[in-house]
Amino acid sequence: MQKSTLRFVITSALAATISGISQGAERPRKIEVLGHRGARASRPENTMPAFRFAIDAGADTLELDVQMTKDGYLIVAHDRTVPTALCQSMDGRKLATGRAIRELTLAEIRDLDCGSLKNEDFPNQVPAPKTTMPKLEDVLELVSSHQGLAKSQIKLQIEAKGVPRYTTAADSPDVLAGAIIAAAKKYQLIDRIVIQSFDHRVIAAAKKINPRIKTAALLAPNLPDWVSVLKSSGASIISPHLDWVTKEAVDAAHKYGAKVVPYTANHEADWKFLITCGVDGIITDDPQALIKYLADKSG
């Protein structure tokens, strides 16, 4: 074959490929899968079994909540008070009341079994008896110990819990942000964490400590101007409630240069809606099912 003919064949093939891509043959955009509280549809929320399950399922990111104990430890827990419907004493006694996490010491936390009582909202959840609330460092150690090709890229989206009315000097936004960053640095995971919060003062505090830290501004179920929130908070990610997502707001955030990662979507109709809106990631209680859904759609 002459060189001129060969060049024509190669050029024609390349043009056909480009044409195919322009007509819709391009690969689907990657959607980040964030396991909410680990994978609470399958294992007790914010526990080590839930985080291991999410990792094994192939989640890109572990989403979790942290609070400060009375003696200065970061504990992985969502509610301000110990949830009596999900936790009991380690010897099986029902808790009379739920005490505030920040009023408990680590030793008192360790005496709580938060894995035996099944969350009735999740019929497929498998209990994990005698499982206690982990420290943030326990989760960081788990992530840092996974060195496989895919697992070495696991990220963490860490929500600093706090309500201004109940905030004290011991668990202020500055203290929480500083403690999270210090723990991530200890395990050499500073580049693989995102600090998120409904209290955007935490984001400002984190940026003051480390301007390069990734942050996400959580939004309550409402629809403010997302770009204004991003500008005022300094966050690079906006995380709204799924019901308050619009394509126009997503497009505006993207134009600003930010990512959109809504919470908490657990059903196919929700996933389809969010993907249609153009979101970058989805926070879900069921990462295993979302991963399968995305794989089926791209197959």
Side-chain angles (χ1 to χ4, degrees), residues 4-18:
S4 59
T5 304
L6 179 60
R7 281 197 299 269
F8 174 80
V9 171
I10 294 174
T11 303
S12 299
L14 180 59
T17 300
I18 293 173

Side-chain angles (χ1 to χ4, degrees), residues 68-70 80 100-103 161-176 199 201:
M68 192 73 73
T69 65
K70 184 178 180 179
R80 187 180 66 84
I101 299 292
R102 67 182 178 85
E103 295 174 356
K161 303 296 290 187
V163 178
R165 176 182 176 183
Y166 302 106
T167 296
T168 66
D171 58 357
S172 68
D174 289 341
V175 171
L176 282 176
D199 186 347
R201 297 176 301 170

Side-chain angles (χ1 to χ4, degrees), residues 139-147 187-189 192:
V139 185
L140 294 171
E141 184 175 3
L142 172 69
V143 169
S144 67
S145 68
H146 282 80
Q147 300 301 324
Y187 288 89
Q188 299 182 335
L189 292 172
R192 285 161 58 188

Side-chain angles (χ1 to χ4, degrees), residues 53-72:
F53 186 94
I55 291 172
D56 291 340
D60 300 297
T61 302
L62 304 179
E63 192 275 349
L64 60 147
D65 313 276
V66 295
Q67 303 181 55
M68 192 73 73
T69 65
K70 184 178 180 179
D71 47 352

Side-chain angles (χ1 to χ4, degrees), residues 119-241:
N119 188 329
E120 296 303 325
D121 291 336
F122 300 100
N124 295 324
Q125 187 185 90
V126 177
K130 305 298 183 182
T131 297
T132 190
M133 298 180 191
K135 295 183 297 181
L136 174 60
E137 289 202 4
D138 297 331
V139 185
L140 294 171
E141 184 175 3
L142 172 69
V143 169
S144 67
S145 68
H146 282 80
Q147 300 301 324
L149 181 60
K151 293 181 178 180
S152 65
Q153 301 305 313
I154 301 163
K155 296 176 288 184
L156 299 105
Q157 194 128 326
I158 304 168
E159 180 180 347
K161 303 296 290 187
V163 178
R165 176 182 176 183
Y166 302 106
T167 296
T168 66
D171 58 357
S172 68
D174 289 341
V175 171
L176 282 176
I180 293 170
I181 291 173
K185 286 179 67 176
K186 177 180 177 180
Y187 288 89
Q188 299 182 335
L189 292 172
I190 197 71
D191 293 330
R192 285 161 58 188
I193 72 164
V194 172
I195 296 178
Q196 65 178 8
S197 187
F198 285 101
D199 186 347
H200 298 171
R201 297 176 301 170
V202 175
I203 295 172
K207 288 291 189 181
K208 187 176 180 180
I209 296 168
N210 184 342
R212 297 180 61 186
I213 201 81
K214 298 182 184 72
T215 55
L218 283 163
L219 298 179
N222 56 20
L223 188 56
D225 182 331
W226 289 3
V227 173
S228 295
V229 172
L230 289 162
K231 287 179 178 178
S232 63
S233 67
S236 56
I237 302 168
I238 195 95
S239 286
H241 185 281

